[in-house]
Amino acid sequence: MNTASVVLLVVASIALARAAPGLRVVNGETATLGQFPYQVRLTLDVGNGQRALCGGTLLNEEWVLTAGHCVQIAKSVEVHLGAVDFDDQTNDGRQVLVSTEFFKHERYNPLFVANDVALVKLPQKVEFSERVQPVKLPTGSSDYAGETVVVSGWGLMENGGPVAQELQYATLQVITNSECQKTFSPLVVRKTTLCARGDEKESPCNGDSGGPLVLAEDKTLVGVVSFGHALGCERGFPAAFARVTAFRDWVNKHTGV
């Protein structure tokens, strides 16, 4: 298939919405407080009074990793840490900061979804707690094919539906890039791409962009939510992620992590 078969999981044109009760994120489950302490919710000011939703991953006290397409047109980024419920700010230990310092990869290419990573620098160092902790970063160069992984976020719970009221997560399996290229063009599935698919059609969706994909075994970060299929999130197609091992040096260069 060509690049027309791909849709970025971008929410620049989708206003934040309150979730409808009883729904799940594309066959996912609801997270509990502290289950994903590295998970970040990004509310992006994209101008003209509009906001967009993305996910992110806390790297250390002052840096968040997200997708390049998330910050491409952002004016500022509201960063929520330690949260599970989208709106309930009582007794959940969340920290909220607003950043105006963020940048995408220098070689980010939206046409081919290449180098789809970005960094957000927090205006002050965050305080770690049981609910706010940095993620574990990978070492080595494993392709992780066959590994069980977990994706999480507040994105749409069904095509055209509302965003999630509470943080959702789903278990996927990493597939080889050659297998993924049967769904997407080799032009977009590159060495820097990692693909994963759910056995029961679990999948990230719009609004989950930039969020973490971690190994189920030890929660090592292996992917950043990047793009999915144009036919939707509920069809059982694989989702594509920026492969973190491919950007490990880039992250270290800019953050020291």
Side-chain angles (χ1 to χ4, degrees):
M1 296 185 182
N2 58 30
T3 53
S5 68
V6 178
V7 59
L8 291 182
L9 302 181
V10 182
V11 291
S13 62
I14 300 176
L16 299 185
R18 186 178 297 274
L23 295 177
R24 301 291 185 192
V25 57
V26 193
N27 302 312
E29 300 178 63
T30 300
T32 58
L33 277 172
Q35 185 174 0
F36 301 100
Y38 49 80
Q39 174 79 49
V40 177
R41 177 164 69 84
L42 303 177
T43 302
L44 305 136
D45 175 2
V46 294
N48 297 320
Q50 294 196 1
R51 299 185 303 167
L53 172 68
C54 272
T57 305
L58 186 65
L59 299 178
N60 67 359
E61 298 97 331
E62 55 185 350
W63 287 99
V64 170
L65 180 66
T66 188
H69 71 261
C70 284
V71 305
Q72 188 173 15
I73 61 172
K75 311 298 181 185
S76 65
V77 180
E78 188 177 272
V79 180
H80 290 246
L81 304 140
V84 169
D85 190 288
F86 203 98
D87 295 320
D88 182 11
Q89 299 184 28
T90 62
N91 196 34
D92 67 354
R94 85 176 60 196
Q95 299 178 48
V96 182
L97 305 95
V98 177
S99 174
T100 56
E101 190 174 351
F102 44 86
F103 54 91
K104 58 186 181 294
H105 194 284
E106 297 81 359
R107 298 180 66 187
Y108 167 64
N109 184 322
L111 179 61
F112 297 106
V113 210
N115 305 305
D116 191 17
V117 290
L119 289 164
V120 178
K121 187 174 183 180
L122 303 178
Q124 63 192 61
K125 292 185 178 181
V126 299
E127 297 181 10
F128 292 152
S129 67
E130 291 183 359
R131 297 172 185 173
V132 177
Q133 289 288 327
V135 79
K136 179 181 178 181
L137 289 171
T139 57
S141 57
S142 172
D143 68 359
Y144 301 107
E147 293 276 3
T148 301
V149 287
V150 179
V151 65
S152 50
W154 285 270
L156 303 188
M157 297 182 293
E158 59 182 344
N159 292 327
V163 297
Q165 177 69 31
E166 297 176 291
L167 180 63
Q168 303 286 299
Y169 69 96
T171 301
L172 313 174
Q173 298 289 326
V174 178
I175 62 174
T176 64
N177 279 20
S178 59
E179 177 68 20
C180 194
Q181 287 172 353
K182 296 177 182 178
T183 299
F184 301 115
S185 166
L187 292 174
V188 295
V189 177
R190 305 175 172 207
K191 291 181 179 180
T192 56
T193 307
L194 180 149
C195 294
R197 177 166 47 205
D199 292 336
E200 301 296 330
K201 299 183 178 181
E202 300 94 342
S203 176
C205 202
N206 300 71
D208 292 321
S209 286
L213 181 78
V214 301
L215 295 178
E217 183 179 11
D218 65 0
K219 294 187 176 180
T220 296
L221 183 70
V222 295
V224 176
V225 180
S226 183
F227 65 88
H229 202 281
L231 293 180
C233 313
E234 301 176 82
R235 303 290 294 273
F237 293 113
F241 306 78
R243 186 180 291 273
V244 174
T245 52
F247 299 100
R248 190 68 185 84
D249 290 344
W250 180 80
V251 169
N252 179 260
K253 173 185 175 182
H254 289 287
T255 69
V257 178

Coordinates of all heavy atoms in Angstrom, one line a residue, residues 104-159:
K104 N 10.9 19.2 17.7 CA 10.8 17.9 17.1 C 12.2 17.6 16.5 O 13.1 18.4 16.5 CB 9.8 17.9 16.0 CG 10.0 19.0 14.9 CD 8.8 19.0 13.9 CE 9.0 20.0 12.8 NZ 9.0 21.4 13.3
H105 N 12.4 16.3 16.2 CA 13.6 15.8 15.6 C 14.0 16.7 14.3 O 13.1 17.1 13.6 CB 13.5 14.4 15.2 CG 14.8 13.7 14.9 ND1 15.4 13.9 13.7 CD2 15.5 12.8 15.6 CE1 16.5 13.2 13.7 NE2 16.6 12.5 14.8
E106 N 15.2 17.0 14.2 CA 15.7 17.8 13.1 C 15.3 17.3 11.7 O 15.2 18.0 10.8 CB 17.2 18.1 13.2 CG 17.6 18.8 14.5 CD 17.8 17.9 15.7 OE1 17.5 16.7 15.6 OE2 18.1 18.4 16.7
R107 N 15.2 16.0 11.7 CA 14.9 15.3 10.4 C 13.5 14.7 10.3 O 13.2 13.8 9.5 CB 16.0 14.2 10.1 CG 17.4 14.8 10.0 CD 18.4 13.7 9.7 NE 18.2 13.1 8.4 CZ 18.9 12.0 7.9 NH1 19.8 11.4 8.7 NH2 18.6 11.5 6.7
Y108 N 12.7 15.3 11.1 CA 11.3 14.8 11.1 C 10.7 15.1 9.7 O 10.8 16.2 9.2 CB 10.5 15.6 12.2 CG 8.9 15.4 12.0 CD1 8.3 14.2 12.1 CD2 8.1 16.5 11.7 CE1 7.0 14.1 12.0 CE2 6.8 16.4 11.6 CZ 6.2 15.2 11.7 OH 4.8 15.0 11.6
N109 N 10.0 14.1 9.1 CA 9.4 14.3 7.8 C 7.9 13.8 7.9 O 7.7 12.6 8.0 CB 10.1 13.5 6.8 CG 9.6 13.6 5.4 OD1 8.4 13.7 5.2 ND2 10.5 13.7 4.4
P110 N 7.0 14.7 7.9 CA 5.6 14.3 8.0 C 5.0 13.5 6.9 O 4.1 12.7 7.1 CB 4.8 15.7 8.2 CG 5.7 16.7 7.5 CD 7.1 16.2 7.8
L111 N 5.6 13.7 5.7 CA 5.1 12.9 4.5 C 5.3 11.4 4.7 O 4.5 10.6 4.4 CB 5.7 13.4 3.3 CG 5.3 12.7 2.0 CD1 3.8 12.9 1.7 CD2 6.1 13.3 0.8
F112 N 6.5 11.1 5.1 CA 6.9 9.7 5.3 C 6.9 9.2 6.8 O 7.4 8.2 7.1 CB 8.2 9.4 4.7 CG 8.2 9.6 3.2 CD1 8.8 10.8 2.6 CD2 7.6 8.7 2.3 CE1 8.8 11.0 1.3 CE2 7.6 9.0 1.0 CZ 8.2 10.1 0.4
V113 N 6.4 10.1 7.6 CA 6.3 9.8 9.1 C 7.7 9.4 9.6 O 7.8 8.5 10.4 CB 5.3 8.8 9.4 CG1 4.7 9.0 10.8 CG2 4.1 8.7 8.4
A114 N 8.7 10.0 9.2 CA 10.1 9.7 9.5 C 10.6 10.5 10.7 O 10.2 11.7 10.8 CB 11.0 9.9 8.4
N115 N 11.3 9.9 11.6 CA 11.9 10.6 12.8 C 10.8 11.3 13.6 O 11.0 12.5 14.0 CB 13.0 11.6 12.3 CG 14.0 10.9 11.5 OD1 14.6 9.9 11.9 ND2 14.2 11.4 10.3
D116 N 9.7 10.6 13.9 CA 8.5 11.2 14.5 C 8.7 11.2 16.0 O 7.9 10.6 16.8 CB 7.3 10.4 14.1 CG 6.0 11.1 14.5 OD1 6.1 12.3 14.8 OD2 4.9 10.4 14.5
V117 N 9.7 12.0 16.5 CA 9.9 12.1 17.9 C 10.2 13.6 18.2 O 10.6 14.4 17.4 CB 11.1 11.3 18.4 CG1 10.8 9.8 18.4 CG2 12.4 11.6 17.6
A118 N 9.9 14.0 19.5 CA 10.1 15.3 19.9 C 10.3 15.3 21.4 O 10.0 14.4 22.1 CB 8.9 16.2 19.6
L119 N 10.9 16.4 21.9 CA 11.2 16.6 23.3 C 10.5 17.8 23.9 O 10.5 18.9 23.2 CB 12.7 16.7 23.6 CG 13.5 15.4 23.4 CD1 15.0 15.6 23.2 CD2 13.2 14.4 24.5
V120 N 10.0 17.7 25.1 CA 9.4 18.8 25.8 C 10.2 19.1 27.0 O 10.4 18.1 27.8 CB 7.9 18.6 26.1 CG1 7.4 19.8 26.9 CG2 7.1 18.3 24.9
K121 N 10.8 20.3 27.2 CA 11.5 20.6 28.4 C 10.6 21.3 29.4 O 9.9 22.2 29.1 CB 12.7 21.5 28.1 CG 13.6 21.7 29.3 CD 14.8 22.5 29.0 CE 15.7 22.6 30.3 NZ 16.9 23.4 30.0
L122 N 10.5 20.7 30.6 CA 9.7 21.3 31.6 C 10.2 22.6 32.2 O 11.5 22.7 32.3 CB 9.4 20.2 32.7 CG 8.9 18.9 32.2 CD1 8.8 17.9 33.4 CD2 7.5 19.1 31.6
P123 N 9.4 23.5 32.6 CA 9.9 24.8 33.1 C 10.6 24.7 34.4 O 11.3 25.6 34.9 CB 8.6 25.6 33.2 CG 7.5 24.7 33.3 CD 7.9 23.5 32.5
Q124 N 10.3 23.6 35.1 CA 11.0 23.4 36.4 C 11.1 21.9 36.7 O 10.3 21.1 36.0 CB 10.2 24.0 37.6 CG 8.8 23.5 37.8 CD 8.0 24.3 38.7 OE1 7.7 25.5 38.4 NE2 7.6 23.7 39.8
K125 N 12.0 21.5 37.5 CA 12.1 20.0 37.8 C 10.9 19.5 38.6 O 10.4 20.2 39.5 CB 13.4 19.8 38.6 CG 14.7 20.0 37.8 CD 15.9 19.6 38.5 CE 17.1 19.8 37.7 NZ 18.4 19.4 38.4
V126 N 10.4 18.4 38.2 CA 9.2 17.8 38.8 C 9.7 17.0 40.0 O 10.8 16.5 40.1 CB 8.4 16.9 37.9 CG1 7.9 17.7 36.7 CG2 9.2 15.7 37.4
E127 N 8.7 16.8 41.0 CA 9.0 16.0 42.1 C 8.5 14.6 41.9 O 7.4 14.4 41.5 CB 8.3 16.6 43.4 CG 8.7 18.0 43.7 CD 8.0 18.5 45.0 OE1 7.2 17.7 45.6 OE2 8.1 19.7 45.3
F128 N 9.4 13.6 42.1 CA 9.1 12.2 41.9 C 8.2 11.7 43.1 O 8.4 12.2 44.2 CB 10.3 11.3 41.8 CG 11.1 11.6 40.5 CD1 12.4 11.3 40.4 CD2 10.4 12.0 39.3 CE1 13.1 11.6 39.3 CE2 11.1 12.2 38.2 CZ 12.5 12.0 38.1
S129 N 7.3 10.8 42.9 CA 6.5 10.2 43.9 C 6.1 8.8 43.4 O 6.6 8.4 42.4 CB 5.2 11.1 44.1 OG 4.4 11.0 42.9
E130 N 5.2 8.2 44.2 CA 4.8 6.9 43.7 C 4.0 7.0 42.4 O 4.0 6.0 41.6 CB 3.8 6.2 44.8 CG 4.5 5.8 46.1 CD 3.6 5.2 47.0 OE1 2.4 5.0 46.7 OE2 4.0 4.7 48.1
R131 N 3.5 8.1 42.1 CA 2.7 8.3 40.9 C 3.4 9.0 39.8 O 2.9 9.2 38.7 CB 1.4 9.0 41.2 CG 0.5 8.2 42.2 CD -0.7 9.0 42.7 NE -1.4 8.3 43.7 CZ -2.4 8.8 44.5 NH1 -2.8 10.0 44.3 NH2 -3.0 8.0 45.3
V132 N 4.6 9.5 40.1 CA 5.4 10.3 39.1 C 6.8 9.7 39.1 O 7.5 10.0 40.1 CB 5.4 11.8 39.3 CG1 6.3 12.5 38.3 CG2 3.9 12.3 39.3
Q133 N 7.2 9.0 38.1 CA 8.5 8.4 38.0 C 9.0 8.4 36.6 O 8.2 8.2 35.6 CB 8.5 6.9 38.5 CG 8.3 6.8 40.0 CD 9.5 7.2 40.8 OE1 10.6 7.0 40.3 NE2 9.3 7.8 42.0
P134 N 10.3 8.5 36.3 CA 10.8 8.4 35.0 C 10.7 7.0 34.4 O 10.8 6.0 35.2 CB 12.3 8.9 35.1 CG 12.6 8.5 36.5 CD 11.4 8.7 37.3
V135 N 10.7 6.9 33.1 CA 10.6 5.6 32.5 C 12.0 4.9 32.4 O 13.0 5.7 32.5 CB 10.0 5.7 31.1 CG1 11.0 6.2 30.1 CG2 9.4 4.4 30.6
K136 N 12.1 3.7 32.2 CA 13.4 3.0 32.0 C 13.6 3.0 30.5 O 12.7 2.6 29.7 CB 13.3 1.5 32.5 CG 14.5 0.7 32.3 CD 14.4 -0.7 32.8 CE 15.6 -1.6 32.5 NZ 15.4 -3.0 33.0
L137 N 14.8 3.4 30.1 CA 15.2 3.5 28.7 C 15.9 2.2 28.2 O 16.6 1.6 29.0 CB 16.0 4.7 28.4 CG 15.2 6.0 28.5 CD1 16.1 7.2 28.4 CD2 14.1 6.1 27.3
P138 N 15.8 1.9 27.0 CA 16.4 0.6 26.5 C 17.9 0.7 26.3 O 18.4 1.8 26.0 CB 15.7 0.4 25.2 CG 15.4 1.7 24.7 CD 15.0 2.5 25.9
T139 N 18.6 -0.4 26.3 CA 20.0 -0.5 25.9 C 20.1 -1.5 24.8 O 19.2 -2.4 24.7 CB 20.9 -0.8 27.1 OG1 20.4 -2.1 27.6 CG2 20.8 0.2 28.2
G140 N 21.1 -1.5 24.0 CA 21.2 -2.5 23.0 C 20.4 -2.2 21.8 O 19.9 -1.0 21.6
S141 N 20.2 -3.2 20.9 CA 19.6 -2.9 19.6 C 18.6 -4.0 19.3 O 18.4 -4.3 18.1 CB 20.6 -2.8 18.5 OG 21.4 -4.0 18.5
S142 N 17.9 -4.6 20.2 CA 17.0 -5.7 20.0 C 15.8 -5.1 19.1 O 15.4 -4.0 19.2 CB 16.4 -6.2 21.3 OG 15.3 -7.1 21.1
D143 N 15.3 -6.0 18.2 CA 14.1 -5.5 17.5 C 12.8 -5.8 18.2 O 11.7 -5.4 17.8 CB 14.1 -6.2 16.1 CG 13.9 -7.7 16.1 OD1 13.7 -8.3 17.2 OD2 13.8 -8.3 15.0
Y144 N 12.9 -6.6 19.3 CA 11.7 -6.9 20.2 C 10.6 -7.7 19.5 O 9.5 -7.8 20.1 CB 11.2 -5.6 20.8 CG 12.2 -4.8 21.6 CD1 12.7 -3.6 21.1 CD2 12.6 -5.3 22.8 CE1 13.6 -2.9 21.8 CE2 13.6 -4.6 23.6 CZ 14.1 -3.4 23.1 OH 15.0 -2.7 23.8
A145 N 10.9 -8.2 18.3 CA 9.9 -9.0 17.7 C 9.4 -10.2 18.5 O 10.2 -10.9 19.1 CB 10.4 -9.6 16.3
G146 N 8.1 -10.3 18.7 CA 7.5 -11.3 19.5 C 7.3 -11.0 20.9 O 6.6 -11.7 21.7
E147 N 7.8 -9.8 21.4 CA 7.7 -9.4 22.7 C 6.3 -8.8 23.0 O 5.6 -8.3 22.2 CB 8.7 -8.3 23.0 CG 10.2 -8.7 23.0 CD 10.6 -9.4 24.3 OE1 9.8 -9.5 25.2 OE2 11.8 -9.7 24.4
T148 N 5.8 -9.0 24.3 CA 4.6 -8.5 24.7 C 4.8 -7.1 25.2 O 5.7 -6.8 26.0 CB 4.0 -9.3 25.8 OG1 3.8 -10.7 25.4 CG2 2.6 -8.8 26.3
V149 N 4.0 -6.1 24.7 CA 4.2 -4.7 25.1 C 2.9 -4.1 25.5 O 1.8 -4.7 25.2 CB 4.8 -3.9 23.9 CG1 6.2 -4.3 23.7 CG2 4.0 -4.2 22.6
V150 N 3.0 -2.9 26.1 CA 1.8 -2.3 26.6 C 1.8 -0.8 26.2 O 2.8 -0.1 26.3 CB 1.7 -2.3 28.2 CG1 0.4 -1.6 28.7 CG2 1.7 -3.8 28.7
V151 N 0.7 -0.4 25.6 CA 0.5 1.0 25.2 C -0.6 1.7 26.0 O -1.5 1.0 26.5 CB 0.1 1.1 23.7 CG1 -1.3 0.5 23.4 CG2 0.2 2.6 23.2
S152 N -0.4 3.0 26.3 CA -1.4 3.6 27.2 C -1.6 5.1 26.7 O -0.8 5.7 26.1 CB -0.8 3.6 28.7 OG 0.5 4.1 28.7
G153 N -2.8 5.6 27.1 CA -3.1 6.9 26.7 C -4.6 7.3 26.9 O -5.4 6.4 27.3
W154 N -4.9 8.5 26.7 CA -6.3 9.0 26.8 C -7.0 9.2 25.5 O -7.9 10.0 25.3 CB -6.3 10.4 27.6 CG -6.1 10.3 29.0 CD1 -7.0 10.1 30.0 CD2 -4.8 10.4 29.7 NE1 -6.4 10.1 31.3 CE2 -5.1 10.3 31.1 CE3 -3.5 10.5 29.3 CZ2 -4.0 10.3 32.1 CZ3 -2.5 10.5 30.2 CH2 -2.7 10.5 31.6
G155 N -6.5 8.6 24.4 CA -7.0 8.8 23.1 C -8.5 8.3 22.9 O -9.1 7.8 23.8
L156 N -8.9 8.4 21.6 CA -10.3 7.9 21.3 C -10.5 6.5 21.6 O -9.6 5.7 21.4 CB -10.6 8.1 19.8 CG -10.4 9.6 19.2 CD1 -10.9 9.6 17.8 CD2 -11.1 10.6 20.1
M157 N -11.7 6.2 22.2 CA -12.0 4.8 22.5 C -12.7 4.0 21.4 O -12.9 2.8 21.5 CB -12.8 4.8 23.8 CG -12.0 5.4 25.0 SD -13.0 5.3 26.5 CE -14.3 6.5 26.2
E158 N -13.1 4.7 20.4 CA -13.6 4.1 19.2 C -13.5 5.2 18.1 O -13.4 6.4 18.4 CB -15.1 3.7 19.4 CG -16.0 4.9 19.8 CD -17.4 4.4 20.0 OE1 -17.8 3.3 19.6 OE2 -18.2 5.2 20.6
N159 N -13.5 4.7 16.9 CA -13.4 5.7 15.7 C -14.5 6.7 15.8 O -15.7 6.4 15.8 CB -13.4 4.9 14.4 CG -12.2 4.1 14.2 OD1 -11.1 4.4 14.6 ND2 -12.4 2.9 13.5

